[in-house]
Amino acid sequence: MSPQKCAQSAHHASEPSAEETTSPLRRRLVLACCSTSIVIVILDFTALNVALPMIQRDLHTSVSGLQWILAAYGLVLCSLQMSAGAIGDRAGRRKTFRIGLCVFVLGSTLCAVAPTLEWLVLFRVLQGIGAAVLSPLSLSIIAGVFSGEAERARAIGTWSSASGIALAAGPLLGGAVVDSLGWRFVFWLSVLVALVALLLTRHVPESRMDPVRGADPVGQVLMAVFLAALVYVIIEGPGRGWGTPVILGCICVLVLALTALVPYELRHRHPLIDPRFFRSVPFTSAGLIAMGAVGAGAGFLFLSTLYLQDARHLTPLQTGLWLLPMTGMTVILAPLAGRLTATLGPRVPLLIAGAALTAGGLMYTVAGAETGSVPALMVAFGLNGIGYAIALTPVTQIVVSGLPPAQSGVAGGVIMTSRLVGQSLGIAVTGAFLSSALHSTTHRSPTAFAGASLPAWWIITACGATIVLLGTVATTPWARATARRTGLLFTDPASTPPNRRPDPQTARR
C-alpha cells in the first residue's frame, strides 16, 4: 500500500469533535497512539541489533555492511527530524503524522522482503524517513492535547517510559522473534505495531503552529550531506583505504558542507541550527555529552551482540537475556535520574554516569572479554546501563540553562539531533575499529574476537571519561556566565542580526 493510499484510508475514519478531543478517554487514546509510535522508532533499532549475525550469514555481508544497516536508519532520522517537525507544524501535525506512519509501514514491509544487503539498506532509509516524522510530532501532539501543566508532565512521562520499555525489551523481544521466526519477522513486528498506531490516529485532533516557523531547506541539505559523508568515511575508510580517491573525495565533501553550513545558518532568518547556541559552554557541552553517552550505548550494543553470538555462539534469545543487566538498569534508573538531578543539580549525575561508563569499559577490556568471565561481563554490562540511563536526564537541564524559554524547544531539538548523531557515529566508529582488526583474524574465538574489539572498547571508555570532564566544566560559574551571555543574544534586539528581527507588523499582531 502506498503512503498516499494508506493516509487516505486512515483519513476516512470519523474525525473527533472538540468535546471528544477534550474527553479523558480521547486523551488516553491520543497518548497511546503517540507512545506506540515512539516504541516502534526505538524498537526497530534495539530489536534489530540481535538479528545482525543472522543477517550477516543470510546476506553474506561484512561488518561494514551490518554498520550500514543500522547507520542508514539513524542517519536519515537525525538529518530529517527537525525539518519533519517544522513540516508538521505547517501542513498539520495529524496529517503529517499519518503519512509518516504509512512511510514507516511501507519501509518495514520492504525491509522484510529485501533480497540483498543493498536493497535492505535502501529500504532502511525509507524507514528512517517515516521515523523522522514520528519522533518529533508525537511529542508535539501530546503537548497540544494535554494543556494542564501537571497533566502534560504525566503524559510526557508516560511517553518517555514507553521509549525506555522499548529500549529494554528490544533485545529480548528481538531475540525471541529471531530465534523462532527469523530476522525478517523483526520488520513484520514493526509493521504490526505501526498499523495499531495508524488505527489510533483517528482520535488525534488536527493542529498547526501559529505563527508557522520558516523552513531551511538549504541548511537541511548541507547538514545531511555533511553527516552522510562523515559516516561513509568512518565506515568505509578502513576497508577501502584512507588514501583512496573515494574516501578523499568524501572528506572534501564533508569539509565543504560544514564550511558552507555555518555562515549560511548565521544569515538565515529561521536556521535549522543556530550557530549562536554554541557560544554557551553548557549548551555545547550538553551536545557533546549526549553524543558521547548515546554513542557509547549504541557502540556497546553493536559490539556486545556480535561478541555474544559470533564468539560465544549464543542464540539471539540468549543474547537478549545476557543484555538484561544493561537494558534493565536503563529502565530502573532513568526515572530516578530525574529526581537525582532535581535534588543535587546536573553535575553529580553526570559524574556518576561518566564514571560508570568508564568503569564498564575498563571492566570489559581488562577482566571480561579476554578471560570470558561471566560475572565480569555482567558487571560491565550493568555499569554501561547505569551510565547510559543517568547521563541523558541532566543534559536536558544543562542545555536550557541561560536561554530564554522561547528558545528552549529549538535548543532541545538540537540536543535530540545530537543524540541521534551520536548513535550513528557510535556504530560507525566502533564498527570501523572492529572491522579493521578482524581483517587480520582468521577465526572468531572469544579470545580472538575480544582482542579485535579492544580498540573499540577503549573508545567507549574514553567517552565515559569525556563525560566526567565535560560534566565538570559545564557546571562551573564561568560556563554558566557564557550561557547567560548567549541568552542575551536572543532577547536583546541590539544583539540580533537585522534579518532575524521580527517584522514590526507581525510583532504587533
Side-chain angles (χ1 to χ4, degrees):
M1 183 182 295
S2 68
Q4 293 82 0
K5 289 182 180 179
C6 194
Q8 288 170 5
S9 65
H11 181 70
H12 290 322
S14 59
E15 305 291 344
S17 65
E19 293 78 18
E20 289 174 322
T21 298
T22 57
S23 70
L25 176 59
R26 292 283 178 175
R27 289 198 295 272
R28 285 195 293 270
L29 291 172
V30 170
L31 180 57
C33 175
C34 295
S35 299
T36 303
S37 69
I38 200 64
V39 163
I40 59 175
V41 171
I42 297 175
L43 192 65
D44 196 78
F45 172 76
T46 55
L48 190 62
N49 260 276
V50 296
L52 291 178
M54 185 178 288
I55 295 175
Q56 186 176 28
R57 291 191 296 271
D58 284 359
L59 300 184
H60 309 290
T61 183
S62 62
V63 172
S64 64
L66 299 180
Q67 290 172 268
W68 278 117
I69 293 172
L70 298 177
Y73 179 81
L75 266 177
V76 177
L77 182 56
C78 67
S79 298
L80 299 183
Q81 180 178 240
M82 295 183 69
S83 291
I87 292 172
D89 291 340
R90 181 184 297 271
R93 294 189 178 105
R94 179 178 61 179
K95 179 171 67 175
T96 308
F97 190 77
R98 282 173 165 171
I99 293 173
L101 279 169
C102 291
V103 171
F104 191 89
V105 167
L106 177 61
S108 300
T109 302
L110 293 173
C111 285
V113 298
T116 63
L117 171 69
E118 291 76 17
W119 282 110
L120 180 57
V121 171
L122 179 62
F123 298 148
R124 287 283 284 169
V125 170
L126 189 60
Q127 260 194 320
I129 294 173
V133 175
L134 303 180
S135 183
L137 287 186
S138 60
L139 192 55
S140 298
I141 290 170
I142 289 174
V145 170
F146 294 87
S147 54
E149 186 174 346
E151 187 183 36
R152 181 184 298 167
R154 287 193 297 270
I156 292 176
T158 301
W159 180 85
S160 301
S161 298
S163 64
I165 292 171
L167 179 67
L172 190 59
L173 181 60
V177 170
V178 172
D179 249 2
S180 56
L181 300 171
W183 64 267
R184 296 183 185 274
F185 281 84
V186 172
F187 296 109
W188 288 122
L189 178 64
S190 296
V191 171
L192 178 63
V193 179
L195 288 175
V196 172
L198 187 62
L199 181 64
L200 290 171
T201 57
R202 66 184 295 268
H203 304 289
V204 176
E206 186 60 278
S207 60
R208 292 176 174 82
M209 178 182 285
D210 187 25
V212 175
R213 187 173 182 269
D216 182 15
V218 175
Q220 176 67 81
V221 170
L222 289 173
M223 180 180 175
V225 169
F226 168 74
L227 291 175
L230 177 62
V231 172
Y232 185 90
V233 167
I234 295 173
I235 291 178
E236 297 294 337
R240 293 179 178 271
W242 298 105
T244 56
V246 65
I247 298 298
L248 293 177
C250 284
I251 292 174
C252 292
V253 168
L254 70 89
V255 170
L256 290 174
L258 182 61
T259 304
L261 178 64
V262 175
Y264 179 82
E265 295 294 89
L266 284 170
R267 294 193 303 269
H268 199 275
R269 181 181 290 274
H270 300 289
L272 183 72
I273 299 176
D274 196 327
R276 294 182 297 168
F277 281 127
F278 295 97
R279 298 185 186 184
S280 166
V281 172
F283 178 88
T284 304
S285 299
L288 293 174
I289 290 170
M291 289 178 61
V294 176
F300 160 83
L301 203 56
F302 181 77
L303 291 173
S304 299
T305 299
L306 294 180
Y307 169 74
L308 293 173
Q309 292 191 48
D310 278 8
R312 299 188 76 103
H313 308 293
L314 300 181
T315 67
L317 179 57
Q318 290 171 330
T319 299
L321 291 171
W322 272 57
L323 292 173
L324 276 178
M326 185 265 187
T327 55
M329 284 294 179
T330 302
V331 173
I332 294 170
L333 293 179
L336 299 178
R339 299 179 187 176
L340 187 63
T341 303
T343 304
L344 302 176
R347 173 179 285 189
V348 173
L350 286 174
L351 295 182
I352 294 173
L357 285 173
T358 304
L362 289 174
M363 177 70 73
Y364 190 97
T365 55
V366 173
E370 287 286 358
T371 63
S373 168
V374 174
L377 288 173
M378 292 296 102
V379 171
F381 290 176
L383 287 170
N384 275 275
I386 292 171
Y388 181 81
I390 295 179
L392 298 180
T393 299
V395 163
T396 305
Q397 181 174 333
I398 290 177
V399 73
V400 297
S401 64
L403 295 176
Q407 299 297 326
S408 60
V410 179
V414 174
I415 294 304
M416 180 62 73
T417 302
S418 298
R419 292 170 60 173
L420 294 169
V421 171
Q423 176 180 301
S424 297
L425 290 181
I427 296 166
V429 172
T430 55
F433 277 101
L434 177 64
S435 180
S436 178
L438 285 179
H439 279 308
S440 58
T441 303
T442 57
H443 63 289
R444 293 192 181 183
S445 65
T447 302
F449 193 99
S453 63
L454 277 181
W457 277 100
W458 282 116
I459 295 293
I460 294 175
T461 304
C463 286
T466 302
I467 290 173
V468 171
L469 175 62
L470 291 175
T472 302
V473 172
T475 51
T476 60
W478 165 75
R480 290 194 291 269
T482 66
R484 288 192 294 270
R485 289 195 296 269
T486 302
L488 292 175
L489 297 176
F490 297 93
T491 55
D492 184 3
S495 302
T496 303
N499 64 315
R500 294 197 187 175
R501 293 174 191 169
D503 179 74
Q505 294 182 357
T506 303
R508 283 197 294 271
R509 288 199 297 267

